[in-house]
């Protein structure tokens, strides 16, 4: 049995070679189960970019073309969906999210909207009045706060001192805890941080309460795991929330393999609204490798990838940089992965057919992972691999040295990137990196120009997770107030056409399902995202106001506005 532990863990897809987005009406077509018309329908196929009517039977598209040619698919029992002037696209897929965390966010102390340390304290105080025992929450991010610093244990102690408090930063790579939590976790001035982690300390060497990356472990152990019933509820709720955000599927990252059965059971009882392509934790490698043949391409839940961490996050200064942080010259961040273990796993994955999805944010983290991948590819040539083109992914790829940008396409590595990180990080990344390193930051267009396939996602619950925000961020590269910092390289924004690919056909490719998903074509699965306005044509400012109105999976409406 193999075990690896890494901390918490020019493409033809631009258009199909054949025009299959439309099919000539047969002399006597069989009426379809569902027909959708009455609005603008984008197919994602360049040779037939729009159609008027789509017909669906048995969860698959049986016709996509003109209303006239498709009229024969309407029978007495056909359900007709009138788009009523709204706009339908191939199903949007979030190529990087954390489904359990999304559900948990809805059930726990949500700190997304906290505006200051004082606000954090007020919310903590209110939570303390309504609960007993340990208090946990997630979602705070200090980059907009007037105090311009991380919170610390003393801030929390002033509100709650008699029981542990564990509050996770939005990025999931840092927590702030109070003194009671430090004591319960056994963390003191004598404690040493583990590999890939950091315990922040004050001038006297005492822990401040801020724990970074792997140093979070003892504090998170206090929070513990929810029981199986609660996990099922959070998974179901997470899928519902993502459907309401306009997604028909997610690529679910850092998943414990024991929850896969829960997801499959929920899907089998029609309680799992969207598709889920799972990347399990590295310690579950053997489980993934042993069950690669257990899934068909149309399964609601598929597990064929493993995720591990190269480094930490930029906001908490855990991302591994080639040069020191501009606002913390003593630090170059944290490498969580070790070369020997990582390359060993990579070589095994090539032989076993396991896809790897590797978290790397800093330019040093990205360079080292690309180096290690190159080593593994040389050691295991295509004729020795289970899959000649393994479609490995680097998750985030946020800060990349310009010299390394072309290496993604050259190695066949997919940058899996989250546009909302750029419109959030623009408020602090210049301080962390300085102006020069922004040339390779969140470089979506440069990646595409080099020939790479960019799979777009949200990283929810780190970010809000709404499809319209990710589309807006990728195409406009401004925050939701219309602001973009000086030197933020708006030339890295992508065209609307490429933005659509980032959330449809390119995530399908990144999950080996381009024959099943990503475009509206006969024979493909009937997954569609419907919005209240045309994402391809509305002005930039209006684009950020777009809202989903309907989400359809397997031809069934799984969410509709107003329900």
């Amino acid at each position: 049995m193999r075990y690896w532990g890494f901390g918490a863990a020019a493409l033809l897809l631009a258009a199909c070679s054949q025009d299959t987005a439309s099919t000539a009406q047969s002399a006597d077509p069989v009426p379809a189960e569902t027909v959708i018309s009455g609005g603008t329908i984008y197919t994602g196929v360049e040779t037939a970019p729009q159609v008027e009517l789509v017909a669906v039977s048995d969860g698959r598209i049986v016709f996509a073309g003109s209303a006239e040619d498709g009229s024969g698919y309407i029978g007495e029992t056909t359900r007709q969906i009138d788009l009523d002037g709204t706009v339908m696209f191939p199903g949007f897929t979030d190529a990087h999210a954390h489904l359990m965390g999304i559900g948990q966010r809805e059930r726990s102390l949500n700190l997304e909207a906290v505006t200051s340390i004082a606000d954090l304290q007020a919310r903590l105080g209110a939570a303390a009045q309504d609960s007993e025992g340990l208090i946990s929450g997630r979602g705070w991010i200090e980059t907009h706060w007037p105090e311009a610093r991380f919170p610390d244990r003393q801030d929390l102690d002033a509100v709650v001192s008699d029981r542990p408090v564990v509050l996770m930063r939005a990025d999931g790579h840092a927590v702030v805890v109070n003194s009671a939590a430090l004591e319960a976790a056994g963390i003191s001035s004598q404690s040493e941080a583990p590999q890939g982690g950091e315990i922040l300390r004050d001038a006297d060497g005492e822990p401040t309460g801020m724990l970074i990356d792997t140093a979070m472990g003892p504090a998170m152990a206090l929070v513990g795991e929810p029981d199986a019933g609660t996990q099922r509820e959070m998974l179901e709720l997470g899928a519902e929330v993502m459907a309401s955000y306009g997604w028909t599927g997610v690529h679910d990252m850092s998943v414990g393999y024991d929850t896969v059965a829960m997801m499959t059971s929920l899907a089998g009882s029609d309680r799992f609204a969207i598709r889920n392509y799972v990347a399990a934790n590295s310690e579950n490698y053997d489980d993934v490798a042993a069950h690669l043949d257990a899934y068909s391409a149309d399964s609601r839940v598929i597990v064929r990838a493993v995720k591990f961490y190269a480094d930490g996050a930029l906001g908490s200064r855990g991302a591994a940089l080639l040069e020191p942080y501009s606002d913390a010259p003593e630090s170059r961040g944290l490498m969580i992965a070790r070369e020997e273990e990582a390359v060993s796993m990579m070589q095994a994955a090539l032989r076993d057919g396991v896809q790897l999805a590797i978290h790397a944010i800093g330019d040093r983290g990205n360079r080292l992972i690309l180096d290690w991948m190159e080593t593994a590819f040389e050691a295991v040539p295509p004729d020795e691999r289970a899959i000649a083109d393994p479609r490995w992914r680097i998750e985030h790829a946020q800060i990349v040295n310009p010299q390394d940008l072309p290496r993604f396409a050259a190695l066949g590595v997919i940058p899996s990137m989250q546009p909302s990180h750029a419109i959030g990080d623009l408020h602090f990344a210049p301080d962390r990196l300085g102006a020069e390193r922004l040339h390779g930051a969140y470089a979506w267009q440069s990646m595409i120009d080099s020939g790479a396939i960019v799979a777009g996602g949200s990283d929810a619950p780190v970010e809000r997770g709404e499809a319209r925000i990710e589309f807006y961020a990728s195409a406009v590269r401004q925050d939701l107030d219309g602001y973009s910092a000086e030197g933020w390289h708006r030339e890295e924004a992508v065209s609307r056409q490429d933005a659509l690919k980032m959330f449809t056909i390119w995530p399908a490719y990144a999950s080996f399902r381009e024959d099943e998903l990503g475009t509206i074509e006969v024979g493909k699965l009937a997954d569609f995202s419907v919005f209240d306005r045309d994402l391809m044509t509305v002005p930039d400012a209006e684009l950020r106001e777009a809202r989903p109105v309907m989400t359809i999976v397997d031809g069934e409406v799984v969410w509709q506005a107003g329900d």
Side-chain angles (χ1 to χ4, degrees):
M1 178 175 179
R2 291 182 292 257
Y3 172 85
W4 291 270
F6 295 95
L11 180 72
L12 54 78
L13 294 177
C16 296
S17 59
Q18 297 179 353
D19 180 4
T20 56
S22 155
T23 184
Q25 181 181 3
S26 64
D28 188 18
V30 176
E33 294 175 1
T34 304
V35 164
I36 307 169
S37 62
T40 303
I41 301 175
Y42 286 95
T43 67
V45 180
E46 291 182 358
T47 53
Q50 294 187 38
V51 295
E52 296 175 321
L53 182 147
V54 175
V56 176
S57 288
D58 296 325
R60 291 187 179 268
I61 301 165
V62 296
F63 175 86
S66 71
E68 180 180 359
D69 288 345
S71 61
Y73 289 89
I74 302 173
E76 292 182 359
T77 61
T78 300
R79 175 181 54 173
Q80 297 187 58
I81 297 177
D82 182 2
L83 293 173
D84 194 23
T86 59
V87 186
M88 188 170 88
F89 298 88
F92 277 37
T93 295
D94 185 331
H96 185 114
H98 305 276
L99 205 56
M100 182 83 78
I102 295 164
Q104 189 171 31
R105 178 177 65 184
E106 303 299 313
R107 295 169 54 97
S108 64
L109 178 57
N110 189 334
L111 303 173
E112 286 180 298
V114 169
T115 59
S116 65
I117 289 176
D119 187 15
L120 180 70
Q121 292 174 315
R123 293 172 189 249
L124 175 58
Q129 292 180 357
D130 296 335
S131 65
E132 298 179 356
L134 179 144
I135 301 173
S136 64
R138 177 172 181 164
W140 64 268
I141 185 166
E142 81 295 340
T143 54
H144 299 318
W145 293 357
E147 295 90 352
R149 64 172 175 85
F150 288 133
D152 59 30
R153 60 181 172 86
Q154 295 173 336
D155 298 321
L156 306 188
D157 289 348
V159 183
V160 177
S161 60
D162 61 341
R163 49 185 162 141
V165 176
V166 181
L167 305 179
M168 183 174 286
R169 194 175 187 271
D171 59 12
H173 287 264
V175 294
V176 61
V177 304
N178 66 353
S179 296
L182 286 174
E183 183 177 356
I187 299 173
S188 69
S189 60
Q190 305 304 311
S191 299
E192 295 185 6
Q195 161 73 22
E198 186 176 4
I199 301 170
L200 299 192
R201 304 176 189 274
D202 61 21
D204 297 324
E206 295 292 333
T208 67
M210 278 293 297
L211 309 172
I212 313 298
D213 288 308
T214 59
M216 298 188 298
M220 294 310 298
L222 300 176
V223 178
E225 293 288 338
D227 60 37
T230 301
Q231 289 185 46
R232 287 175 62 90
E233 292 173 3
M234 291 192 301
L235 288 167
E236 183 176 6
L237 179 57
E240 291 175 357
V241 168
M242 294 304 274
S244 74
Y245 287 168
W247 305 107
T248 62
V250 301
H251 296 178
D252 197 1
M253 296 287 145
S254 306
V255 177
Y257 198 81
D258 56 350
T259 65
V260 172
M262 296 180 189
M263 299 175 192
T264 304
S265 174
L266 288 168
S269 55
D270 294 327
R271 294 174 55 193
F272 202 68
I274 60 176
R275 299 191 192 281
N276 195 14
Y277 182 78
V278 173
N281 292 323
S282 60
E283 56 264 34
N284 301 129
Y285 179 95
D286 290 313
D287 293 306
V288 175
H291 297 94
L292 290 174
D293 296 331
Y295 310 95
S296 61
D298 61 350
S299 296
R300 189 63 63 96
V301 179
I302 294 176
V303 189
R304 63 169 301 157
V306 164
K307 160 95 178 289
F308 71 84
Y309 290 79
D311 63 353
L314 185 66
S316 50
R317 299 189 184 90
L321 302 182
L322 293 167
E323 301 295 336
Y325 279 85
S326 296
D327 59 355
E330 72 283 358
S331 176
R332 292 200 303 147
L334 304 166
M335 279 300 295
I336 297 172
R338 294 178 172 90
E339 180 175 5
E340 184 177 355
E341 293 172 334
V343 173
S344 178
M345 174 184 270
M346 289 174 178
Q347 293 181 11
L350 288 171
R351 294 189 170 95
D352 293 337
V354 173
Q355 185 186 38
L356 295 182
I358 304 171
H359 166 115
I361 289 181
D363 50 10
R364 179 161 56 104
N366 276 280
R367 177 172 289 180
L368 287 175
I369 291 300
L370 290 168
D371 288 346
W372 300 347
M373 286 179 169
E374 193 166 12
T375 297
F377 291 155
E378 291 173 354
V380 186
D383 60 351
E384 296 180 18
R385 304 174 191 171
I387 302 172
D389 177 12
R391 302 188 190 184
W392 286 356
R393 305 158 51 138
I394 292 184
E395 305 300 317
H396 310 305
Q398 287 179 212
I399 317 302
V400 179
N401 187 287
Q403 295 179 6
D404 293 323
L405 285 170
R407 298 179 66 193
F408 286 79
L411 292 171
V413 174
I414 299 167
S416 172
M417 306 175 78
Q418 300 75 51
S420 60
H421 285 333
I423 66 170
D425 293 6
L426 69 85
H427 295 280
F428 68 85
D431 292 333
R432 296 282 191 275
L433 300 172
E436 186 59 32
R437 280 182 287 193
L438 296 179
H439 287 287
Y442 317 89
W444 317 312
Q445 188 60 56
S446 292
M447 288 285 194
I448 293 170
D449 289 345
S450 74
I453 303 312
V454 179
S458 75
D459 204 12
V462 174
E463 303 287 354
R464 185 62 189 165
E466 296 183 48
R468 56 109 186 178
I469 294 176
E470 299 304 328
F471 193 97
Y472 165 82
S474 64
V476 180
R477 204 175 172 90
Q478 295 175 332
D479 71 12
L480 294 176
D481 294 323
Y483 171 77
S484 183
E486 183 180 355
W488 198 239
H489 297 282
R490 290 196 63 204
E491 71 275 8
E492 292 292 353
V494 305
S495 68
R496 302 286 178 95
Q497 291 74 22
D498 281 344
L500 182 61
K501 293 171 189 174
M502 286 175 65
F503 302 107
T504 55
I505 190 63
W506 288 346
Y509 176 84
S511 59
F512 298 90
R513 289 180 295 174
E514 67 272 22
D515 292 335
E516 300 283 328
L517 298 169
T519 58
I520 297 178
E521 300 182 74
V522 171
K524 288 196 173 185
L525 293 167
D527 292 4
F528 315 118
S529 297
V530 186
F531 292 86
D532 63 355
R533 65 201 70 195
D534 193 334
L535 305 182
M536 309 303 285
T537 63
V538 298
D540 287 352
E542 187 179 340
L543 184 60
R544 65 175 180 256
E545 304 302 327
R547 292 295 186 274
V549 295
M550 190 184 302
T551 305
I552 300 172
V553 180
D554 283 327
E556 299 294 330
V557 177
V558 297
W559 175 83
Q560 187 167 0
D563 286 355

